């Protein structure tokens, strides 16, 4: 066991943030006091945290941050016994290279947190080569690390298939912070008042409006389902103007960015959440947990090397995870209120039994660095 407050986490963005990686890092440091080292410039209005945060001077290439002040980075890392690196940002690749070079010099104990496999965003030969090479490097670093934490059984199986010893792999699903979970509990009364009637199927989409978040697939599937529907879109991004113009004549409402309480209020008035991604880059959606905590069924595609289908799949949802079957699923939910009732109950129960903060703490306390 590694003593508390002797460890350092390394990630690209400043926690607690909005993404799954930052939220997980935040929960870990709140639980064991590890300091956090990150590359992104400190955002405005960043909340104070009970653990130490260290910003490394960085350089931004394309959309990614890389450590630029290598001397500062080495000085910071050499002061800790245990280094826990969050993958798979490209900046983490450089961090891994530096840390594993320093490992024998300073006697560092190094572990990895494998949140996702990288997948090519373009289908060009260079893009595929770069992504495959990066995943290969991460796999080599994983073999050299003391242990590897990942987020789902799906990713664990893929890592074993990649040649990483099962004995050093541990599953720690993403979680909702204890304070956020309390907000969800207070919002649950709104959900209890929601009617199961489906004269119109209300579907909610929450997330960044980027190319890999396939809002177009959601709309196309709803249009092909031959039902009355309304899509509620919460979030902003590069494609916000494009989508709001494209679907101006469709029953699609765009809310932009909302506070958590406003977001939960809209979600509570919907029959299901749909979160479609065309890449394994997204392997676990925090919003899936928020939906299930509110007894809202979550629907995601079954993509290789992604755990999102595993996260939200419940016993009564006869859903293959295949995009071609999504219109049929919407039709089924629209016509079968009793099925929806089952799915509401199953979704909330799955959250409580698998993903609640209480269960997260239990799983975390059984990891080698807790």
């Amino acid at each position: 066991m590694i003593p508390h407050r002797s460890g350092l986490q390394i990630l690209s963005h400043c926690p607690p943030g909005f993404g799954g990686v930052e939220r997980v890092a935040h929960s870990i440091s709140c639980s064991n006091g590890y300091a956090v080292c990150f590359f992104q410039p400190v955002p405005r209005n960043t909340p104070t945290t009970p653990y130490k945060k260290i910003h490394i001077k960085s350089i931004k290439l394309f959309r990614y941050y890389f450590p630029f002040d290598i001397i500062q980075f080495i000085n910071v890392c050499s002061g800790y016994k245990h280094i826990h690196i969050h993958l798979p940002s490209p900046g983490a690749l450089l961090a891994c290279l530096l840390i594993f070079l320093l490992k024998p010099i300073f006697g560092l104990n190094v572990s990895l947190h494998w949140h996702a496999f990288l997948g090519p965003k373009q289908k060009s030969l260079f893009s595929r080569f770069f992504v495959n090479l990066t995943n290969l490097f991460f796999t080599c670093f994983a073999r050299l690390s003391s242990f590897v934490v990942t987020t789902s059984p799906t990713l664990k199986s893929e890592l074993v298939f990649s040649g990483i010893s099962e004995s050093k792999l541990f599953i720690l699903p993403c979680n909702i912070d204890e304070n956020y979970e309390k907000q969800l509990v207070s919002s649950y009364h709104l959900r209890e008042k929601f009617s199961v009637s489906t004269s119109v199927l209300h579907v909610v989409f929450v997330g960044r409006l980027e190319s890999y978040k396939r809002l177009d697939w959601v709309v196309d599937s709803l249009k092909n389902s031959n039902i009355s529907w309304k899509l509620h879109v919460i979030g902003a991004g590069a494609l916000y103007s494009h989508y709001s113009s494209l679907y101006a004549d469709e029953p699609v409402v765009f809310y932009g960015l909302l506070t958590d309480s406003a977001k939960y209020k809209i979600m509570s008035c919907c029959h299901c959440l749909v979160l479609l991604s065309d890449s394994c880059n997204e392997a676990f959606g925090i919003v899936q947990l928020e939906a299930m905590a509110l007894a809202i069924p979550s629907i995601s595609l079954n993509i290789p090397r992604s755990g999102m289908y595993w996260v939200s799949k419940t016993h009564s949802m006869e859903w293959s995870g295949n995009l071609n079957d999504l219109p049929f699923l919407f039709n089924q939910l629209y016509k079968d209120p009793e099925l929806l009732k089952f799915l509401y109950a199953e979704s909330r129960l799955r959250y409580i039994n698998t993903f609640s903060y209480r269960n997260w703490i239990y799983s975390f306390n059984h990891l080698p660095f807790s």
Side-chain angles (χ1 to χ4, degrees), residues 30-77:
C30 284
S31 300
N32 67 4
Y34 276 29
V36 173
C37 167
F38 60 95
F39 310 138
Q40 172 201 28
V42 181
R44 293 180 181 179
N45 303 319
T46 298
T48 57
T49 56
Y51 51 86
K52 184 178 182 180
K53 292 194 285 191
I54 306 163
H55 174 241
I56 301 296
K57 293 177 183 177
S58 61
I59 184 171
K60 187 176 183 181
L61 296 174
F62 302 104
R63 298 189 303 113
Y64 305 107
Y65 293 97
F66 296 85
F68 180 72
D69 192 334
I70 302 302
I71 300 300
Q72 179 199 13
F73 182 71
I74 292 174
N75 287 337
V76 168
C77 294

Side-chain angles (χ1 to χ4, degrees), residues 119-312:
K121 292 186 177 180
Q122 292 86 29
K123 294 185 178 181
S124 67
L125 186 62
F126 174 78
S127 177
R128 290 181 179 276
F129 173 77
F130 175 77
V131 164
N132 290 335
L133 186 62
T134 303
N135 284 328
L136 178 62
F137 273 121
F138 281 142
T139 301
C140 293
F141 290 133
R143 291 171 183 165
L144 295 172
S145 64
S146 58
F147 64 91
V148 179
V149 181
T150 192
T151 58
S152 70
T154 307
L155 265 65
K156 180 180 178 180
S157 298
E158 288 290 340
L159 290 169
V160 171
F161 182 76
S162 298
I164 299 170
S165 172
E166 188 170 1
S167 63
K168 66 166 58 178
L169 289 169
F170 297 84
I171 296 174
L172 182 69
C174 294
N175 73 307
I176 297 173
D177 179 79
E178 188 174 20
N179 292 325
Y180 282 102
E181 190 174 71
K182 289 176 182 176
Q183 288 186 49
L184 285 164
V185 170
S186 64
S187 299
Y188 182 62
H189 74 280
L190 297 171
R191 183 63 176 169
E192 291 177 313
K193 298 175 183 178
F194 179 65
S195 171
V196 77
S197 170
T198 53
S199 56
V200 175
L201 186 73
H202 289 269
V203 177
V204 62
F205 172 100
V206 182
R208 239 180 264 149
L209 294 176
E210 305 284 353
S211 58
Y212 68 94
K213 293 275 185 82
R214 300 306 299 260
L215 179 65
D216 54 333
W217 288 356
V218 181
V219 175
D220 289 345
S221 296
L222 284 166
K223 290 167 72 173
N224 292 330
S225 63
N226 298 316
I227 61 172
S228 298
W229 57 274
K230 187 171 185 178
L231 177 61
H232 305 260
V233 180
I234 302 172
L239 295 179
Y240 183 91
S241 297
H242 168 74
Y243 279 137
S244 55
S245 174
L246 181 64
Y247 300 127
D249 297 327
E250 302 289 352
V252 182
V253 183
F254 291 86
Y255 298 91
L257 292 175
L258 298 175
T259 63
D260 286 323
S261 58
K263 177 177 71 174
Y264 298 151
K265 185 175 181 180
I266 292 171
M267 290 173 65
S268 296
C269 297
C270 293
H271 295 99
C272 62
L273 168 89
V274 181
L275 192 63
L276 305 186
S277 175
D278 62 4
S279 170
C280 62
N281 288 349
E282 188 168 28
F284 201 117
I286 296 294
V287 70
Q288 292 178 283
L289 304 187
E290 293 175 329
M292 290 189 290
L294 292 170
I296 302 167
S298 175
I299 300 169
S300 292
L301 298 178
N302 190 4
I303 294 178
R305 292 187 160 189
S306 171
M308 293 180 70
Y309 178 77
W310 169 80
V311 172
S312 56

